[in-house]
Amino acid sequence: MDKSLEKQLTSWLRLQKKACGFYLNLTVLFGLLTGLSLIIQAYLLSTILHGVIILELDKSHYTHEFILLLVLIPIRALLAFARERACFESGKRLRLQIRSAVLDKLTELGPAFIKGKPVGSWASIVLEQVEDLHDFYARYLPQIILAGFIPLTILIVVFPLNWAAGLILLATAPLIPMFMILVGMGAADANRKNFSALAKLSGHFMDRLKGLPTLKLFNRGDAEVKEIETASEEFRERTMSVLRMAFLSSAVLEFFSAVSIAVLAVYFGFSYLGHLNFGDYNGGVSLFIGLFVLMLAPEFYQPLRDMGTHYHAKAQAIGAAEELMALLEYRVESNSVESKSGGKEIKHMAVNDKAIDWQAGVEIEARDLKVLSHDGATLVGPVSFHLSPGQHVAIVGPSGSGKTSLLNAMLGFLPYEGSLKVNGLELSELDMTLWRRHLAWLGQDPQLFHGTVRDNVAMADVAMGDEAIKLLLEKANILEFVEQQSLGLSHPIGEQMAGLSVGQAQRIALARALGQDAHLYLLDEPTASLDSHSEQAVLSTLWQAMDKTSCLMVTHRLDQLHQMDTILVLDAGAIVQRGSFEDLNRAEGLFKLMQEDETDVEAQANKESNS
């Protein structure tokens, strides 16, 4: 990984630690108290052993030390428990905030942005990558402070007793962080590649799972199994690479700390044998000093070893942070329209929802409108059109002409240039949440959520009663099906609308849309996935619901356009024809060619069904 990028990601990670609250400081405090209790415990134990063995004092002489030693044991356990709880809470708070920020960002960017990646990739970001930030905040950041304070405190205690032992500790301590740095150079890059492989595997598997019936229909099952096997193997190799690095670093850190403690033990051993006579300030090396220093030695290296172990958590967090930072700091092209007055640019402020008379209906006016992608590329435009209150306008055109992109701009999910006014006010000036409350959207892929029929229909108004829900279901021609179920309105709807046909799901989604009391209906191929019976039922309900409201419908079914007031024909992002169904049917152009193609397709389908 590029060093500048790694530094940038590390800085971004450190900026997020405020989400941990005071629990991060509490983790450090409990860690320091645990270290101090260890020093006191080593002092008491050394004092007792020196007095009993060397000074040959009676055990009763150290009653207070024994009591204090016994008291320290549960205190250490409680401090260790409190530290674990505090570090877990700090990591949990961080994960909750980051996950909430990711979901809020995805809501802000909208479905047009989300569809740019497979569902599995987003699942990997929201779940695995956020989870992998936990140890960085819960373990690594507190351990950096502890790795400085605890060894320093032990050195302050050891040097007045024996300067040689202090020098051995001081000289061998850097070996652990030095090796930690060497290992960490490749750890972040290995973790980043591992996350990339996981996102690829998740997206690949989820897409194939959703399209399983289609794959079986075209006999592509075996080929896709091989593709999933290849992606799984790549993920396995990446994971093993990360694990090898983690195990190698842990083993070498243990080796260095063991060697350092052994050197210290050899020094004291030879000092007791009389072969070494330095480091004791000419006062001799007592049993107390030797035991005290040797008991502190493992605790001196332990914070450094823990920091080395948790350095893997830093590498893991850096690997996870790359996509998270890119997503959370993603900035969409501003929709704001600027006017100039006296050489100064004036930016319009957001308009309160009450400033618009919604009861008069919705009027939309687009002038030189350009719909842009999130990357700034032009998807539609420049186009100009007008939708009067109560008017029904259809948008037709070949696939890829920009029909859905235009609807996404009106929903506030895509940036635009030019002018797009709602009741005389620029769309960018409106609060998007309030604006969407006045819309009813129905697409070709109905989005129902895990829950009951009641939950899905009442999303527009959670206080909606059962009778009102049944009335909406009746308008959508789906009440009979719901009442036939044993649980009625409590009939469960599973993931991916399990247990419902496409037509049934579309009509439940229609019932939900009808409950919004919308002033503008935005319809994106609402009958594309329906059979002829369901199509007629849905359209009949829509025409009744939209009798006195505005409507903008994208469709490829030209036989549905007789009741539309105006038809806009879009091709390559530009309006090439406009007018009523009768006018366009008589004129030469793209609309007539599309109608002829549709007639040929229907004739071919009828011929095949008859044969």
Side-chain angles (χ1 to χ4, degrees):
M1 180 182 289
D2 182 65
K3 287 297 178 185
S4 60
L5 175 60
E6 186 174 348
K7 288 182 180 178
Q8 186 180 1
L9 293 174
T10 304
S11 299
W12 182 83
L13 285 169
R14 290 181 182 276
L15 288 174
Q16 312 307 312
K17 70 178 182 181
K18 59 184 178 182
C20 300
F22 71 95
Y23 287 98
L24 195 61
N25 295 329
L26 207 57
T27 301
V28 175
L29 176 62
F30 287 135
L32 292 173
L33 292 176
T34 302
L36 291 175
S37 66
L38 284 169
I39 295 174
I40 297 172
Q41 197 169 4
Y43 173 80
L44 293 173
L45 197 56
S46 301
T47 301
I48 293 170
L49 292 174
H50 178 77
V52 172
I53 297 172
I54 303 299
L55 302 179
E56 297 182 352
L57 296 173
D58 190 76
K59 295 177 183 178
S60 60
H61 188 77
Y62 295 101
T63 303
H64 296 298
E65 284 80 356
F66 272 116
I67 294 173
L68 192 55
L69 189 63
L70 291 174
V71 170
L72 277 174
I73 293 173
I75 288 177
R76 275 188 58 195
L78 288 174
L79 287 172
F81 173 77
R83 180 186 172 189
E84 288 297 316
R85 290 297 303 169
C87 74
F88 175 80
E89 188 64 29
S90 66
K92 185 183 80 170
R93 287 172 173 255
L94 183 282
R95 286 180 286 125
L96 287 174
Q97 178 159 316
I98 293 292
R99 187 170 284 120
S100 176
V102 168
L103 294 175
D104 289 344
K105 190 66 177 183
L106 292 177
T107 302
E108 176 192 341
L109 295 173
F113 180 85
I114 294 172
K115 288 181 179 179
K117 278 188 178 183
V119 177
S121 296
W122 292 120
S124 175
I125 292 174
V126 175
L127 298 175
E128 283 87 354
Q129 295 195 23
V130 174
E131 287 295 320
D132 283 322
L133 297 179
H134 175 86
D135 283 349
F136 177 79
Y137 296 94
R139 307 283 184 189
Y140 179 73
L141 287 183
Q143 196 59 43
I144 290 178
I145 300 174
L146 295 177
F149 272 95
I150 293 178
L152 181 61
T153 304
I154 292 175
L155 284 176
I156 292 173
V157 172
V158 170
F159 261 107
L161 299 176
N162 190 293
W163 60 264
L167 283 178
I168 292 172
L169 293 175
L170 186 62
T172 55
L175 294 175
I176 294 176
M178 280 174 60
F179 181 79
M180 177 188 71
I181 293 170
L182 290 174
V183 172
M185 288 181 179
D189 192 49
N191 276 279
R192 183 178 59 84
K193 291 178 179 178
N194 186 49
F195 284 121
S196 177
L198 176 60
K200 178 182 176 182
L201 176 61
S202 300
H204 197 92
F205 183 75
M206 182 68 75
D207 287 347
R208 270 53 181 181
L209 188 63
K210 291 172 69 176
L212 194 57
T214 306
L215 294 174
K216 287 183 177 180
L217 182 64
F218 289 94
N219 197 28
R220 289 284 303 170
D222 293 338
E224 291 304 325
V225 166
K226 291 180 180 178
E227 291 288 334
I228 292 176
E229 183 181 359
T230 301
S232 301
E233 182 64 20
E234 181 184 353
F235 177 62
R236 185 193 67 79
E237 290 178 357
R238 300 292 186 194
T239 302
M240 294 307 297
S241 174
V242 172
L243 289 175
R244 277 196 303 270
M245 200 165 295
F247 291 145
L248 175 64
S249 61
S250 297
V252 176
L253 293 177
E254 292 290 339
F255 171 77
F256 278 126
S257 61
V259 169
S260 302
I261 294 171
V263 170
L264 200 60
V266 168
Y267 163 74
F268 279 112
F270 277 97
S271 295
Y272 288 134
L273 292 173
H275 297 299
L276 295 177
N277 56 1
F278 61 87
D280 53 6
Y281 299 106
N282 297 322
V285 179
S286 66
L287 180 63
F288 165 78
I289 293 175
L291 287 175
F292 184 53
V293 174
L294 284 174
M295 279 191 282
L296 288 182
E299 306 305 328
F300 176 84
Y301 295 109
Q302 189 60 48
L304 298 171
R305 287 159 57 193
D306 289 342
M307 185 175 69
T309 302
H310 299 321
Y311 193 83
H312 177 70
K314 177 191 175 184
Q316 196 174 35
I318 289 175
E322 185 174 10
E323 286 193 71
L324 287 170
M325 186 183 76
L327 174 63
L328 294 175
E329 295 189 354
Y330 192 95
R331 293 290 175 264
V332 184
E333 294 283 339
S334 175
N335 285 338
S336 62
V337 176
E338 298 178 357
S339 58
K340 293 186 178 180
S341 177
K344 295 183 180 180
E345 295 182 348
I346 304 172
K347 290 190 177 181
H348 300 289
M349 302 299 291
V351 176
N352 191 296
D353 189 56
K354 295 180 180 179
I356 301 177
D357 181 15
W358 296 108
Q359 298 304 319
V362 171
E363 180 182 16
I364 295 178
E365 184 178 8
R367 290 184 180 177
D368 298 324
L369 173 68
K370 282 175 128 180
V371 180
L372 309 175
S373 70
H374 288 97
D375 297 326
T378 301
L379 302 175
V380 179
V383 296
S384 299
F385 63 88
H386 183 260
L387 174 67
S388 302
Q391 187 180 18
H392 297 167
V393 174
I395 303 174
V396 300
S399 297
S401 57
K403 305 184 295 295
T404 301
S405 297
L406 186 56
L407 286 190
N408 278 323
M410 298 185 67
L411 287 164
F413 293 136
L414 282 176
Y416 69 85
E417 292 179 353
S419 176
L420 180 58
K421 291 186 176 180
V422 177
N423 288 9
L425 295 171
E426 198 63 42
L427 178 64
S428 59
E429 299 175 3
L430 303 179
D431 185 307
M432 285 296 108
T433 302
L434 297 175
W435 160 237
R436 290 167 190 153
R437 287 179 185 173
H438 299 284
L439 305 177
W441 179 87
L442 192 64
Q444 56 184 309
D445 298 317
Q447 297 295 319
L448 300 183
F449 301 93
H450 181 76
T452 64
V453 173
R454 179 188 291 106
D455 296 334
N456 276 274
V457 176
M459 286 185 69
D461 182 5
V462 292
M464 189 181 298
D466 286 356
E467 291 304 316
I469 293 174
K470 288 182 178 179
L471 181 60
L472 293 174
L473 292 171
E474 184 178 9
K475 288 181 179 179
N477 292 308
I478 193 64
L479 179 61
E480 183 180 353
F481 164 77
V482 174
E483 290 183 335
Q484 287 174 354
Q485 309 306 309
S486 59
L487 297 177
L489 293 177
S490 298
H491 178 68
I493 298 175
E495 298 291 343
Q496 303 296 324
M497 302 174 297
L500 297 175
S501 68
V502 178
Q504 290 164 347
Q506 187 73 303
R507 278 181 275 183
I508 291 175
L510 174 59
R512 180 175 61 196
L514 296 175
Q516 292 182 244
D517 191 25
H519 298 93
L520 172 63
Y521 279 78
L522 295 178
L523 311 175
D524 187 6
E525 306 276 13
T527 62
S529 304
L530 304 181
D531 55 47
S532 58
H533 175 72
S534 298
E535 179 183 8
Q536 293 304 318
V538 169
L539 285 177
S540 175
T541 303
L542 279 173
W543 300 139
Q544 293 177 23
M546 299 185 306
D547 183 39
K548 296 181 180 180
T549 59
S550 304
C551 165
L552 193 63
M553 180 171 74
V554 167
T555 182
H556 71 286
R557 295 294 301 272
L558 304 185
D559 56 351
Q560 301 173 356
L561 303 180
H562 295 279
Q563 300 187 51
M564 304 304 290
D565 300 317
T566 302
I567 300 170
L568 305 178
V569 183
L570 214 61
D571 187 24
I575 299 176
V576 294
Q577 284 182 287
R578 71 178 75 203
S580 64
F581 180 83
E582 292 76 14
D583 293 339
L584 294 177
N585 197 30
R586 289 192 297 265
E588 295 294 329
L590 180 59
F591 184 81
K592 194 166 186 178
L593 292 175
M594 291 172 60
Q595 195 172 33
E596 291 173 356
D597 290 342
E598 186 178 75
T599 303
D600 292 341
V601 171
E602 290 178 354
Q604 183 65 27
N606 291 332
K607 182 178 178 181
E608 291 178 357
S609 62
N610 292 332
S611 61

